[in-house]
Amino acid sequence: MKNRKGWLAVLGAAVALLLVPPLVSAGGEETGPQIRGLRMMVPNSPGGGYDITARTAVKAVEDAGLNGNIEVFNLPGAGGTVGLGRLVNERGNGKLAMSMGLGVVGSVYTNKSPSSLQDTTAIAKLTEEADIVVVSKDSPYQTIQQLVEAWRADPGSVPVGGGSAPGGPDHLAPMLMAQAAGIPPTRVNYIPFDGGGELMASVLGGKVGFGVSGIGETRDQIASGALRALAVTSPQRVPGIDAPTLQESGVDVSFTNWRGIVAPPGLSDSDRERLIGLFTRLQDTPQWREALQRNGWTPAFQPGDDFAAFLKTENDRVAAVLKELGLA
């Protein structure tokens, strides 16, 4: 009987070892603390910049073995402030994060949102990206100079589409372009779309004269010949994109968008550090480095407190620009 009990104890211990999940990856390398049940909210439609950033980062995290499955879901509306409100209401939830960027900063003002990014927990800034001015392959505009000349002659007849609400990067960029070209911003016919996916469909369909969006949202259509790139908003040309900068084309504008990750307010110190640690470890993976190169994103990593300070600076900068445009 004693021998039988001994064998049962050994068998039970072996079964327990099989059922306990390993603390290391299959390759034997430590992957850090996993966040089980982590979800990533995207506050705009599929195909937009926040969506592409979120899904790209999540895939890189999973492929690198840094975390188990992460659910990505979209909650669009009001330039990202619907998702922002949901995030702020999830106080203390360490299993929820949100992909966001410069557009949400402006949307807080233009949509008079009761919640702001100062109410969230800053996790990390991930990337910077130039905006790009594009037209359909059937557009009469072959160069940025031709577009600006027609736009200056009759601003209302050349509608510009952007993948963000007023106050977002795709709105701020053409407004700054208009100012530099001598066009009063009040005469600009800006048509907002909820994300780059909807915008690209309108540009391709000829519903707007030109579009301004992130390079990651337009790269495939440019490569296929469906879109023509006229200019980029960054101070330098973008590798892989055959288009001049606005500045070298005589439009004195230099503008760069950015994207990052925030979480609900009121996180415990351990939950906050787990999220910051996850995106910190992501930076050194070949999967993320390849994604940056493929999408034309500039790495701009800022974790935790550094990102929180950056958000405060951006909030003040955008508020000043919107007030100058009469939008805040």
Side-chain angles (χ1 to χ4, degrees), residues 26-50:
E29 296 182 358
E30 299 244 356
T31 59
Q34 302 267 321
I35 306 174
R36 296 179 183 274
L38 179 60
R39 307 175 76 212
M40 179 72 72
M41 184 198 307
V42 176
N44 67 358
S45 302
Y50 305 150

Side-chain angles (χ1 to χ4, degrees), residues 68-291:
N69 182 61
I70 301 172
E71 178 192 353
V72 180
F73 68 99
N74 297 76
L75 186 63
T81 57
V82 170
L84 175 62
R86 162 76 179 276
L87 188 82
V88 171
N89 287 334
E90 291 277 344
R91 184 176 185 85
N93 185 353
K95 297 181 183 295
L96 179 66
M98 186 177 85
S99 172
M100 48 69 72
L102 177 58
V104 179
V105 179
S107 293
V108 166
Y109 287 97
T110 57
N111 287 282
K112 296 178 171 56
S113 170
S115 300
S116 79
L117 289 167
Q118 313 308 307
D119 299 321
T120 69
T121 299
I123 301 302
K125 183 172 79 164
L126 296 179
T127 65
E128 290 182 351
E129 179 188 27
D131 261 7
I132 189 166
V133 180
V134 294
V135 294
S136 73
K137 62 181 177 59
D138 299 321
S139 169
Y141 310 123
Q142 301 292 322
T143 66
I144 187 67
Q145 289 88 353
Q146 289 177 352
L147 170 62
V148 170
E149 184 178 343
W151 196 24
R152 188 186 289 122
D154 189 358
S157 68
V158 187
V160 50
S164 58
D170 297 353
H171 172 253
L172 292 174
M175 288 299 179
L176 294 172
M177 286 173 57
Q179 284 185 324
I183 302 169
T186 53
R187 295 191 62 196
V188 174
N189 182 9
Y190 178 76
I191 302 175
F193 295 88
D194 199 356
E198 292 183 6
L199 168 63
M200 288 305 106
S202 293
V203 175
L204 292 169
K207 295 181 180 178
V208 293
F210 66 103
V212 178
S213 189
I215 290 175
E217 295 145 271
T218 58
R219 187 178 290 272
D220 289 346
Q221 292 96 329
I222 292 170
S224 71
L227 289 179
R228 183 183 305 128
L230 298 187
V232 294
T233 65
S234 52
Q236 292 87 31
R237 290 196 178 205
V238 175
I241 299 293
D242 184 19
T245 68
L246 286 172
Q247 288 184 321
E248 69 180 275
S249 305
V251 182
D252 190 15
V253 171
S254 177
F255 180 87
T256 305
N257 190 12
W258 55 266
R259 298 192 179 100
I261 305 293
V262 293
L267 296 192
S268 66
D269 289 344
S270 59
D271 282 345
R272 176 178 176 271
E273 291 307 314
R274 269 193 289 268
L275 282 167
I276 292 173
L278 176 63
F279 289 98
T280 299
R281 293 192 300 277
L282 174 64
Q283 305 309 303
D284 293 326
T285 64
Q287 290 86 352
W288 182 241
R289 288 195 293 267
E290 189 277 330

